[in-house]
Amino acid sequence: MMDTLETKRKFRQVGTRPIRPDGIDKVKGRALYGADVTAPGMLVGRILRSPHAHAEIVAIDTSAAEALSGVKAVVTGRDLVAQKDDFFRDIQENCLATTKALYDGHAVAAVAAVDASTARAALKLIKVTYKQLPHVTDVDAAMTPGAPIVQGGRALETVPKGMSANVTNQVEFGHGNLDAGFKQADLVVSRSFTTAAAHQGYIEPHACLAQMNADGKADLWCCTQGHYFVRTTCALLLGMEASQLRVTASEIGGGFGGKTVVFIEPVALALSRKAGRPVKIVMTRDEVFKATGPTVVTSMDVRIGMKKDGRITAGEAILRYSGGAFPTGTVEMGASAAFAAYDLAAVHTLGWNVLTNRPKEAAYRAPGAPQAIYAVESVIDELCQKLNLDPLDTRLKNAARKGTLSSYGPTFDDIGLVATLEAAKKHPHYKAPLGKNQGRGLSAGFWFNFGGNTSVSMTINTDGTVSVAEGNPDIGGSRASISLMAAEELGIPYDKVRTIIADTASLGYNENTDGSRVTFAVGMATIHAARAAIAKMCARAAAIWGIDPEAVEWVDGAAVPAGPNAGKFPPMTLAEIAAVANNTGGPIAGHEEFTADGAGVSFGVHLCDVEVDPETGYTTVLRYTVFQDAGKAVHPAYVEGQMQGGAVQGIGWALNEEYIYGADGRLQNAGFLDYRVPVASDLPNIDTVILEIPNPGHPYGVRGVGETPIVPPLAALSNAVSHAIGLRMSSLPMSPPRILAALSHKG
Amino acid sequence: MQYAKPTTAAEAARLLSAASGVTRVLAGGTDVLVQLKAGMVEPDLIVDIKHIPGIRTLQAEAGGFRIGAAVSGAELGEHAALCAAWPGVTEGAQLIGSKQVQGRCSMVGNLCNASPAGDAVPGLVAANATVRVEGPNGTRDVAVHAIPASPGKTTLQKGEIITSIFLPARAPRSSDAYLRFIPRSEMDIAVASAGVNLTLDAAGTITAARVALGAVAPTVLLVDACAKAIIGTKLDATALAALEKAASAACKPIDDKRGTIEFRTKVAGVLARRAAVIAYGRAGGKL
Ligand SMILES: Cc1cc2nc3c(=O)[nH]c(=O)nc-3n(C[C@H](O)[C@H](O)[C@H](O)COP(=O)(O)OP(=O)(O)OC[C@H]3O[C@@H](n4cnc5c(N)ncnc54)[C@H](O)[C@@H]3O)c2cc1C
């Protein structure tokens, strides 16, 4: 269902910055996160993980662990229901391996015991007989003919015969005549790039508490970005009916896409079923790094042709992505997004997903797009440098607009790229002087955004307040934004509305908090629910006044007679109607269950200045400005927070974050000491400029904003560093040893 | 696991020498507790030394300073006279961790954890500091440089603990400096580091120097060739280049996730040069 934009609407609440409703609890340490829930008789669950990158599981002997005093249950892959569908079988195998351990850290068994030290001791008593197999963690190596095969028989029909069995997906996008395009170019630049796998790095590790009763009914509390998806998956893996499993989402200490996945929940349920007691599992940080997240690791080739005046004549990208040991479709998003910012006559992208002995990739903000766009924006920057062109003017010259046939197929409606580029060009940052060893980089970025299945219920309470129940865990302040939209539509103050995240038994299905969909889709459902409640309130007023319901309209939070013919009655406010509701027909509520379409794509432009110490390769980020189209910023502080957070995470990917594997295929940096996210003192203030080019698909014009901001930083940083050191960098992260090595080879 | 809280050094030594199995001394605990939580060690006995009289005292002695083994980084930083006399030693100690960690961490813990990358150690070695060791066989004073044996191991014997550090009296026109390289701006582990301690004559010529390098060998390096490269000079460009070269030449680093051999070798030289310039200025020299 798609909505039309109310272009003339004057907002009263939307666009303000009220205090976040979850703020005080979080600041005071009272918010209940995944690990904070307890139950009487609760056991501690712990997971045994493969120490090998790739190994056949010959046998698992759990008898000694089961015999240990204090151990109440031990489970292995055999305790989960074998799934037929590939998608769910992969989740099942990732939760507990049955035949092969596919990466260092792959779960193979689990115990529930009376305390943590007993559980740890029990893990040591589980005897797993492994037959080690050759492994491969490098994406290019995994594509070569003799590479160890991670999983055979997983290639989709789109993959041509003769490729390595590790290649599972092939995707292609584009239009126009590439050869002709390259012939028209005055300059063609081709370059190869690599990016490392990066972890979402949320502060809160995965945690859950499962309680399965003897009658087969179960409750699960967990930290997730989507408890409905958790319910679907756990019900399948445990062989339960969905109605028998109620899942409640805790507060969430970060997710960034990495908690749209199920890891420990089915294991905790299986343990609880066996033990007959509640079981809590909390991952250690080491487990989080080894067995959850990260992004794809990539190797890419990009070729772009340009005229002397900056017009791009042709663009081509070949992407090799690995999402770890299980097939993933992320490369499709990379191949779709690579050239999406540009209006091109000839464009072609080809992508493969390749299996490696790494953990199963999880979504991370705009999955697949930052990498491909990094490669494309780096080559555009190099072309501008070599043709002596202004990089912003050049992007403006090629920018996609309303009516552009996008590189991935659809024709764009109203989009904000040109406005965003122009805002960057006007900004003082763009012309600010630079010193020695300093460089400026910029990049455009794009993300599709998503809508999806959504349910919201709204209750008008008799005291004139409003309760909104929605089903999407709040990771970016969405409760505030949803309350703002409810208040706006109903015409009541923000603080009269409280929005909660309901459990899976209380609302219809909700897709995950992902795809930058919540403020857009849940917001739209809330507006619809409010309109349904308003219709009922108007009907109540009409009944009280003895006039036709059609003769009543809702103005500024009150029912009023529509026009002079309807009769003369003083307005009845929401509170006045609510106060008498129980005597005039019963409780008043509104709800919406729908599929939200019309999520408008979003564009961002990042500008960044760096200084590189030529003797150590150390990069200091001096200045950073984010420009982004938000459609309509419902709560501008949260929009800025998303823009800043994405930039900061992208800075981390660009400079230091990477999964480092040893020759043994084991992860060497499974902790925050050697997996280096930026610390506060590494960063300048991230300045933000919000643009509002309304999305025609939302009544208030809202676009998702959560993912786009991680797309441009990689190329913005790489372009800035390349200018600062006078050398084109083409591999991420640009850690000091890499920069210094590049400089020393330059001589 | 047993936890003991002795009130004399002799009792601590007795407990440790009588213990069978794995033992750990608990000073600030910023290494021990982290290792415990991560399951890296499971000690049978933990001896908390913080209740031994004098172990948390910092006082002047013989023109220098005696620093109790459990004095924290934050306490060092608040001691104006110590910071004025030994800015290199105190800046090394204060680079450890964050504000929270500074409230607990000790230089002796840093030394006895025996990481090649410990930030307090190169400064202490450059300073020619000694530690007082108390053990089953009595008390002895040992050069800091002689404590680290290999990564994670010290030369302390079973039952021995360190009770204090001694920083000697300063000649006029002396100062020191410490620099480390980390890929971030804080909360990280040195990939290479350098401590430089200098004395100048009235004309600004270097008369004495000690240069120590961290994270570029299994244990901290005291590099005589670096000292030789700058003694007798006013730290001119030639001397600085010779210092840098000597420092790089002394490195015996490993390739690991934190840095390559090539990187550590080059950067150790750069840091030695930069630290020498800072120490020279602090000692009153003009470049
Ligand atoms: C968040 C964080 C950041 C850190 N950052 C840094 C950093 O930047 N640089 C750095 O170098 N280190 C860093 N560390 C490591 C640690 O803080 C330092 O090594 C610190 O100096 C240890 O001192 P402590 O008093 O806490 O030692 P403890 O943990 O109490 O002890 C450390 C070791 O020394 C032994 N020991 C302690 N005292 C004695 C004694 N008197 N006699 C004999 N043996 C003894 C113990 O048995 C143990 O093996 C960091 C640690 C954390 C948790």
Side-chain angles (χ1 to χ4, degrees):
Chain A
M1 184 172 156
M2 215 170 130
D3 263 47
T4 41
L5 175 69
E6 299 170 19
T7 39
K8 300 235 154 42
R9 186 167 188 126
K10 273 216 159 52
F11 293 105
R12 295 191 170 175
Q13 320 238 19
V14 161
T16 62
R17 303 170 179 241
I19 282 175
R20 63 189 298 160
D22 49 325
I24 289 178
D25 281 352
K26 284 178 175 167
V27 169
K28 293 206 155 195
R30 294 218 182 93
L32 296 177
Y33 290 93
D36 292 326
V37 186
T38 56
M42 186 175 85
L43 302 172
V44 175
R46 285 193 69 93
I47 293 174
L48 182 69
R49 298 181 179 278
S50 166
H52 305 300
H54 195 191
E56 196 182 308
I57 300 169
V58 180
I60 306 179
D61 180 357
T62 58
S63 54
E66 277 156 9
L68 183 69
S69 158
V71 172
K72 302 296 179 190
V74 181
V75 297
T76 66
R78 284 190 301 278
D79 292 279
L80 299 179
V81 177
Q83 300 297 305
K84 297 215 165 51
D85 176 85
D86 278 351
F87 177 79
F88 288 107
R89 197 184 55 239
D90 285 347
I91 297 175
Q92 173 216 327
E93 280 292 331
N94 198 37
C95 286
L96 281 173
T98 56
T99 55
K100 273 217 299 187
L102 296 171
Y103 56 90
D104 170 28
H106 195 166
V108 293
V111 303
V114 290
D115 55 39
S117 59
T118 309
R120 267 201 302 273
L123 288 188
K124 288 188 188 144
L125 294 174
I126 298 175
K127 284 196 264 316
V128 185
T129 312
Y130 291 105
K131 182 176 158 230
Q132 267 186 264
L133 301 168
H135 65 269
V136 59
T137 55
D138 180 81
V139 57
D140 289 314
M143 282 184 80
T144 58
I149 293 166
V150 179
Q151 289 194 55
R154 297 304 305 270
L156 299 177
E157 311 83 72
T158 49
V159 178
K161 294 271 165 307
M163 297 195 86
S164 159
N166 290 322
V167 179
T168 61
N169 307 33
Q170 174 174 308
V171 292
E172 269 188 280
F173 294 93
H175 57 249
N177 184 333
L178 218 54
D179 288 340
F182 281 119
K183 279 208 194 85
Q184 284 164 27
D186 292 316
L187 181 65
V188 175
V189 166
S190 339
R191 226 175 233 291
S192 297
F193 298 86
T194 60
T195 65
H199 196 275
Q200 292 78 353
Y202 29 80
I203 292 177
E204 184 195 16
H206 299 262
C208 71
L209 172 67
Q211 175 161 352
M212 169 105 68
N213 299 325
D215 60 4
K217 286 206 243 338
D219 275 290
L220 178 67
W221 294 266
C222 61
C223 163
T224 176
Q225 285 177 246
H227 41 310
Y228 292 84
F229 175 71
V230 171
R231 180 185 64 178
T232 304
T233 308
C234 290
L236 285 170
L237 267 55
L238 274 291
M240 303 172 68
E241 290 175 349
S243 60
Q244 299 307 305
L245 174 60
R246 180 172 64 160
V247 186
T248 307
S250 70
E251 285 293 341
I252 178 166
F256 311 106
K259 288 177 182 165
T260 56
V261 194
V262 166
F263 300 107
I264 52 177
E265 295 81 1
V267 180
L269 282 164
L271 286 168
S272 177
R273 176 160 65 187
K274 237 182 188 173
R277 284 168 62 170
V279 175
K280 176 145 93 181
I281 297 182
V282 180
M283 278 196 185
T284 61
R285 183 60 61 182
D286 175 81
E287 291 181 285
V288 170
F289 274 108
K290 283 188 170 161
T292 77
T295 64
V296 289
V297 54
T298 77
S299 157
M300 305 172 285
D301 312 318
V302 166
R303 182 161 68 119
I304 300 176
M306 198 179 265
K307 301 287 275 180
K308 280 195 189 112
D309 67 357
R311 183 76 203 151
I312 297 173
T313 59
E316 181 187 30
I318 298 169
L319 312 176
R320 296 167 292 272
Y321 281 23
S322 176
F326 297 88
T328 78
T330 300
V331 71
E332 181 167 349
M333 305 209 253
S336 306
F339 288 100
Y342 301 110
D343 181 2
L344 303 178
V347 57
H348 182 244
T349 58
L350 170 64
W352 291 292
N353 180 66
V354 189
L355 299 178
T356 53
N357 293 109
R358 290 169 174 258
K360 186 173 193 277
E361 179 217 356
Y364 186 168
R365 287 181 116 143
Q371 294 87 349
I373 287 177
Y374 150 66
V376 166
E377 292 285 318
S378 294
V379 172
I380 292 178
D381 190 67
E382 188 170 351
L383 283 159
C384 292
Q385 209 177 1
K386 290 186 167 153
L387 292 172
N388 209 9
L389 294 166
D390 178 85
L392 266 177
D393 286 339
T394 306
R395 284 171 173 85
L396 272 166
K397 187 165 228 136
N398 295 285
R401 296 152 202 264
K402 182 171 185 164
T404 295
L405 170 66
S406 73
S407 58
Y408 62 101
T411 298
F412 286 129
D413 199 329
D414 280 321
I415 56 172
L417 177 60
V418 168
T420 311
L421 287 163
E422 278 167 352
K425 202 181 161 189
K426 278 207 309 270
H427 196 277
H429 183 172
Y430 192 56
K431 291 268 153 27
L434 287 168
K436 201 172 164 231
N437 298 320
Q438 296 180 355
R440 175 165 301 141
L442 77 93
S443 172
F446 158 86
W447 185 244
F448 309 93
N449 294 331
F450 178 60
N453 294 304
T454 308
S455 308
V456 163
S457 176
M458 176 185 288
T459 310
I460 311 297
N461 303 313
T462 50
D463 65 353
T465 63
V466 171
S467 304
V468 179
E470 52 130 329
N472 276 95
D474 172 0
I475 50 177
S478 54
R479 274 168 294 191
S481 302
I482 299 308
S483 295
L484 274 170
M485 286 185 268
E488 182 76 48
E489 196 64 30
L490 294 168
I492 59 172
Y494 166 80
D495 58 12
K496 296 288 178 210
V497 183
R498 180 170 179 203
T499 299
I500 63 131
I501 316 301
D503 64 56
T504 51
S506 306
L507 284 177
Y509 195 81
N510 283 281
E511 294 198 38
N512 289 333
T513 295
D514 66 7
S516 300
R517 73 175 217 95
V518 175
T519 308
F520 168 74
V522 179
M524 189 149 53
T526 302
I527 293 166
H528 295 169
R531 288 176 183 172
I534 286 170
K536 288 180 194 164
M537 289 189 284
C538 287
R540 286 300 160 85
I544 290 166
W545 293 333
I547 64 175
D548 258 13
E550 290 77 51
V552 179
E553 58 182 16
W554 193 257
V555 179
D556 292 342
V560 294
N565 298 337
K568 267 208 154 118
F569 303 99
M572 267 193 99
T573 64
L574 180 144
E576 286 162 351
I577 297 169
V580 295
N582 288 350
N583 308 320
T584 58
I588 300 173
H591 62 101
E592 171 68 306
E593 295 78 25
F594 81 142
T595 304
D597 289 330
V601 301
S602 125
F603 291 91
V605 173
H606 291 202
L607 263 185
C608 151
D609 297 351
V610 302
E611 179 168 328
V612 181
D613 181 341
E615 291 189 323
T616 64
Y618 183 88
T619 300
T620 308
V621 183
L622 301 169
R623 186 170 183 183
Y624 203 103
T625 313
V626 179
F627 305 85
Q628 190 178 318
D629 170 21
K632 175 72 203 168
V634 175
H635 191 304
Y638 294 163
V639 173
E640 289 159 3
Q642 293 295 320
M643 290 159 74
Q644 292 169 322
V648 168
Q649 288 183 316
I651 290 170
W653 295 19
L655 294 182
N656 280 305
E657 293 182 39
E658 65 179 315
Y659 266 47
I660 304 172
Y661 281 93
D664 58 1
R666 301 195 65 189
L667 183 62
Q668 303 209 327
N669 57 336
F672 277 132
L673 180 53
D674 287 303
Y675 181 86
R676 294 188 168 76
V677 299
V679 297
S681 55
D682 291 340
L683 300 162
N685 186 47
I686 309 287
D687 295 318
T688 53
V689 178
I690 300 174
L691 290 108
E692 294 187 326
I693 292 88
N695 169 21
H698 187 280
Y700 295 173
V702 169
R703 294 176 199 271
V705 297
E707 290 169 291
T708 299
I710 206 170
V711 180
L714 309 190
L717 266 290
S718 184
N719 293 339
V721 167
S722 299
H723 292 297
I725 66 176
L727 199 68
R728 181 59 51 183
M729 296 298 286
S730 57
S731 188
L732 298 185
M734 299 175 291
S735 58
R738 286 223 178 92
I739 290 182
L740 204 58
L743 282 171
S744 73
H745 297 143
K746 171 189 166 196
Chain B
M1 189 169 80
Q2 270 199 313
Y3 170 83
K5 213 166 65 178
T7 50
T8 66
E11 191 192 339
R14 206 161 42 241
L15 284 165
L16 287 164
S17 39
S20 58
V22 180
T23 62
R24 281 291 182 277
V25 173
L26 186 70
T30 61
D31 279 315
V32 169
L33 297 183
V34 174
Q35 291 160 6
L36 219 70
K37 260 196 108 170
M40 287 159 62
V41 285
E42 285 177 28
D44 300 286
L45 172 68
I46 289 186
V47 176
D48 185 344
I49 56 168
K50 288 190 290 298
H51 300 267
I52 297 170
I55 206 110
R56 303 199 54 188
T57 315
L58 198 178
Q59 62 196 23
E61 180 180 310
F65 298 90
R66 183 154 301 276
I67 304 166
V71 171
S72 72
E75 287 164 327
L76 294 172
E78 284 171 8
H79 198 285
L82 179 74
C83 291
W86 295 101
V89 169
T90 49
E91 75 195 346
Q94 288 190 278
L95 279 174
I96 295 170
S98 55
K99 252 214 150 49
Q100 295 94 321
V101 171
Q102 277 291 307
R104 315 243 358 139
C105 69
S106 65
M107 292 201 288
V108 172
N110 194 245
L111 175 64
C112 295
N113 188 54
S115 156
D119 279 311
V121 181
L124 288 169
V125 169
N128 205 9
T130 56
V131 289
R132 183 152 294 166
V133 177
E134 193 107 24
N137 306 320
T139 305
R140 60 192 177 105
D141 286 347
V142 190
V144 165
H145 188 210
I147 297 294
S150 61
K153 294 224 157 51
T154 67
T155 56
L156 294 175
Q157 302 299 302
K158 186 172 166 64
E160 285 188 330
I161 64 162
I162 292 172
T163 53
S164 63
I165 298 180
F166 180 66
L167 283 166
R170 273 310 214 175
R173 291 179 298 279
S174 297
S175 199
D176 61 343
Y178 173 76
L179 288 176
R180 67 169 179 184
F181 182 84
I182 54 172
R184 288 182 291 203
S185 51
E186 61 176 343
M187 298 303 285
D188 219 318
I189 291 219
V191 183
S193 66
V196 176
N197 178 24
L198 301 172
T199 301
L200 317 182
D201 66 15
T205 302
I206 297 170
T207 57
R210 285 170 69 90
V211 178
L213 304 178
V216 290
T219 59
V220 60
L221 297 175
L222 177 65
V223 188
D224 285 339
C226 286
K228 288 209 183 82
I230 55 174
I231 291 175
T233 76
K234 289 184 175 167
L235 214 58
D236 49 68
T238 319
L240 283 170
L243 167 64
E244 178 171 351
K245 202 162 161 222
S248 290
C251 295
K252 290 171 278 191
I254 52 167
D255 262 329
D256 73 359
K257 61 194 171 195
R258 296 192 182 130
T260 56
I261 292 172
E262 182 193 8
F263 181 79
R264 290 189 149 111
T265 305
K266 160 100 171 103
V267 171
V270 171
L271 295 177
R273 165 162 55 73
R274 291 179 180 178
V277 169
I278 297 168
Y280 189 78
R282 284 175 177 168
K286 301 251 175 336
L287 283 177

